[in-house]
Amino acid sequence: MKIERAYTIVTCPGRNFVTLKIVTGDGAYGVGDATLNGRELAVKAYLDEHVIPCLIGRDSRTIEDIWQYLYRGAYWRRGPVTMAAIAAVDMALWDIKGKHAGMPVYQLLGGRSRHGVMVYGHANGRDHGEAVEAVGRYIDMGYKAIRVQSGVPGLDKAYGVAKGDLYYEPAAKGLPDEEIWDTSLYLRHTPELFRKVRDAYGYDHHLLHDGHHRMTPIEAARLGKDLEPYRLFWLEDATPAENQEAFRLIRQHTTTPLAVGEIFNSIWDCKDLIREQLIDYIRAAVVHAGGITHLRRIADFASVYQVRTGCHGATDLSPVCMAAAVNFGLWVPNFGIQEYMRHTPETDAVFPHNYWFEAGFMMMDEVPGLGVDIDERLAAKYPYERAYLPVARLRDGSMWNW
Ligand code: CS2
Ligand code: MG
């Protein structure tokens, strides 16, 4: 089935999304998410100017060959822009293959390994009191697993503290906000937050926390240790992971499970972390790690070391990526958990989809393909608006990790 047409669609129903649509000669089509927060138009240009001309006329069924063609053929391998572009093509081709086969993508991957995909939500507050209350609301909504983030006394801003309750979008219009960060304050107050949550709700729910790349390895080791009494499901992005060996020091000092990988683009970013059992959950996501084809490779490798998946699912990963993630999560044998940061009602309207939240799980029924679409007429109503993620500086002005 030859690829006849392919084009990108940019829309901003609350935040910017880039979507690729591929159409085959028989009129079937597939969609893929290509959204890279704060760098959206770079991936659009990569697709429009460099990838789409190479797709026209190719056999849409040859997903693996097209993946290898775009990866090896680029010569300049890996990287967030390239791998998001390849991911969008890959998702759209799996969508088309499912539609041609008359079955959901999870059936093509090998069928269901579970009835639903356990997800976690984002309880947060400007202070401990608000965050503890928010956890209660997520428990009432049926969540089995809840990420807890809170403001830090003495700091104006901290990662993960949303304006509203259900939606957290860190990217803002205009130029990047500059936030002041102080790890010593954060290390002093965070264990206290989790003591209060456990005191309030006990130990029946999974609790997660995102360190968001802010600590040095020894600081992360200390936090991991201080959090051990509160039995976290995971401590995420405890330290920047460019140097994978950094996790050896953390591992030496704490048994708090470690999760990393939302900014990873390929198996090369995590092979040592997995092979040395330095992490327990790999957070690579379909849209940023080269699509379903490459994420499956990462998950299969991780399964050898009993490392489970914990895919990234923030608001800046579109419902197209979420649909792909649910298909993937229903199949993947070493599934751990799926992040689910809710999208705005406007976003959900632009991207009608076949997944739904039910008692702590993401459910999906038998719809051919990925089970998601894009309403192009509605999408056109929300033009692109440039937006940036914040940056972080230490009190002395030094650049730090946001
Ligand atoms: C975060 C994200 O969800 C998470 O775990 O780390 O909110 C992340 O900050 C954004 O996706 C960045 O675009
Ligand atoms: Mg994170």
Side-chain angles (χ1 to χ4, degrees), residues 307-328:
V307 172
R308 290 179 280 177
T309 65
C311 298
H312 187 208
T315 35
D316 51 287
L317 285 68
S318 88
V320 174
C321 182
M322 180 53 78
V326 176
N327 274 280
F328 188 85

Side-chain angles (χ1 to χ4, degrees), residues 37 147 159 210 212 236 262 283 312 314 316 339 341:
N37 204 0
R147 187 185 86 165
Y159 165 73
D210 193 342
H212 220 258
E236 174 189 337
E262 68 180 50
R283 297 229 336 116
H312 187 208
D316 51 287
E339 177 178 6
M341 219 189 252

Side-chain angles (χ1 to χ4, degrees), residues 47-360:
L47 285 164
D48 291 345
E49 306 303 330
H50 307 296
V51 168
I52 289 173
C54 298
L55 291 179
I56 308 306
R58 282 182 188 281
D59 180 344
S60 67
R61 296 169 299 180
T62 58
I63 300 179
E64 185 66 51
D65 179 68
I66 290 174
W67 194 98
Q68 297 294 338
Y69 181 92
L70 294 176
Y71 181 78
R72 296 168 191 253
Y75 191 66
W76 312 107
R77 298 181 181 190
R78 303 196 300 175
V81 173
T82 300
M83 298 309 280
I86 294 177
V89 174
D90 189 77
M91 273 179 259
L93 295 177
W94 277 102
D95 195 15
I96 290 169
K97 193 179 272 279
K99 289 174 178 173
H100 281 146
M103 61 177 83
V105 168
Y106 64 76
Q107 291 295 13
L108 299 175
L109 293 170
R112 280 175 185 263
S113 300
R114 52 200 61 82
H115 65 79
V117 165
M118 183 168 74
V119 293
Y120 69 91
H122 291 261
N124 62 82
R126 286 163 299 181
D127 58 33
H128 289 181
E130 277 191 7
V132 171
E133 269 172 35
V135 171
R137 286 197 290 280
Y138 275 84
I139 291 175
D140 295 344
M141 285 190 270
Y143 282 83
K144 312 277 180 262
I146 299 148
R147 187 185 86 165
V148 191
Q149 308 286 143
S150 159
V152 177
L155 292 178
D156 294 344
K157 292 265 180 75
Y159 165 73
V161 180
K163 299 187 191 65
D165 197 10
L166 289 177
Y167 318 112
Y168 170 63
E169 176 47 59
K173 302 193 172 79
L175 290 175
D177 288 346
E178 299 216 356
E179 300 181 355
I180 298 299
W181 179 250
D182 182 329
T183 308
S184 60
L185 288 179
Y186 166 74
L187 290 177
R188 199 183 312 157
H189 292 286
T190 302
E192 189 57 16
L193 168 65
F194 284 89
R195 182 188 63 70
K196 289 175 183 165
V197 174
R198 286 302 190 198
D199 285 354
Y201 305 107
Y203 283 76
D204 292 344
H205 291 82
H206 299 297
L207 297 182
L208 302 83
H209 183 68
D210 193 342
H212 220 258
H213 326 275
R214 307 278 173 112
M215 293 168 275
T216 62
I218 199 64
E219 289 168 340
R222 183 197 300 168
L223 181 62
K225 208 170 177 57
D226 290 351
L227 289 173
E228 283 173 9
Y230 312 115
R231 294 277 181 273
L232 264 62
F233 185 91
W234 78 34
L235 172 60
E236 174 189 337
D237 284 334
T239 195
E242 290 100 323
N243 169 25
Q244 298 180 44
E245 295 159 30
F247 280 73
R248 287 188 193 140
L249 189 63
I250 308 174
R251 215 36 156 188
Q252 276 167 23
H253 292 282
T254 181
T255 57
T256 292
L258 301 173
V260 74
E262 68 180 50
I263 63 173
F264 289 171
N265 317 118
S266 82
I267 197 164
W268 311 105
D269 295 329
C270 54
K271 77 173 177 58
D272 302 334
L273 285 167
I274 292 172
R275 189 172 44 75
E276 289 185 43
Q277 315 248 222
L278 298 176
I279 60 170
D280 305 286
Y281 297 93
I282 181 67
R283 297 229 336 116
V286 174
V287 61
H288 297 133
I292 293 168
T293 298
H294 195 59
L295 187 61
R296 178 168 63 169
R297 211 144 275 156
I298 294 173
D300 285 345
F301 178 69
S303 70
V304 174
Y305 299 92
Q306 300 187 50
V307 172
R308 290 179 280 177
T309 65
C311 298
H312 187 208
T315 35
D316 51 287
L317 285 68
S318 88
V320 174
C321 182
M322 180 53 78
V326 176
N327 274 280
F328 188 85
L330 285 172
W331 156 75
V332 69
N334 47 326
F335 174 79
I337 198 166
Q338 168 68 44
E339 177 178 6
Y340 174 45
M341 219 189 252
R342 292 175 184 241
H343 292 108
T344 63
E346 294 78 17
T347 296
D348 284 339
V350 168
F351 296 98
H353 49 267
N354 163 49
Y355 57 75
W356 67 94
F357 177 80
E358 192 178 300

